Amino acid sequence: MWDIWLDEFANSKGPKPRLTDKRATLLAALHSEQLKPNADQPMELFRKVLRQIKKNEWYMKPDRRQFLFPESLFLNEERREKHVHRALSVRVDGVATVDRNKWRV
């Protein structure tokens, strides 16, 4: 999983981030809690989750790049679940199944 994360988020120039014990623990929790039960190919789902995060404008602002590490993205069960469900809710053609602007109270 760390190789997939590096492939999607690591800068090709300069030193690459290291896989710490905390990052490994969080990625293992993500795999066992969310990826494995929700997909036949958990690694492809993980790549899809990372690509959905990359599409989010908030995360891709230059001053917020520090939040793209596993310790920020997948810190607790709620965050892990949120990111996986966002990736699962996007249709194959890339159009979201729910439009927030159409919600009514």
Side-chain angles (χ1 to χ4, degrees):
M1 288 179 68
W2 183 246
D3 291 333
I4 294 172
W5 187 90
L6 286 174
D7 186 39
E8 293 293 331
F9 287 124
N11 190 350
S12 59
K13 300 175 186 173
K16 301 223 184 284
R18 293 182 304 119
L19 178 62
T20 62
D21 290 338
K22 183 175 184 178
R23 290 175 182 165
T25 301
L26 291 171
L27 290 173
L30 173 69
H31 184 268
S32 64
E33 292 171 1
Q34 299 298 324
L35 300 177
K36 199 173 178 183
N38 289 313
D40 294 334
Q41 298 178 339
M43 294 303 125
E44 288 303 314
L45 179 57
F46 181 59
R47 188 173 295 275
K48 190 175 178 181
V49 166
L50 295 180
R51 288 183 178 163
Q52 280 301 114
I53 292 169
K54 283 172 61 172
K55 288 180 183 180
N56 188 323
E57 292 177 16
W58 189 90
Y59 285 109
M60 297 317 292
K61 290 183 180 179
D63 62 331
R64 299 206 173 111
R65 297 287 293 188
Q66 72 268 20
F67 296 113
L68 293 177
F69 288 100
E71 56 267 25
S72 296
L73 294 172
F74 309 119
L75 180 62
N76 55 37
E77 187 175 355
E78 290 81 19
R79 287 185 187 179
R80 293 188 286 268
E81 184 177 6
K82 174 185 76 169
H83 288 299
V84 171
H85 284 285
R86 279 186 183 164
L88 289 172
S89 69
V90 174
R91 295 191 325 214
V92 176
D93 59 6
V95 177
T97 56
V98 176
D99 184 1
R100 285 185 171 200
N101 297 327
K102 293 182 181 180
W103 288 2
R104 301 281 186 248
V105 178

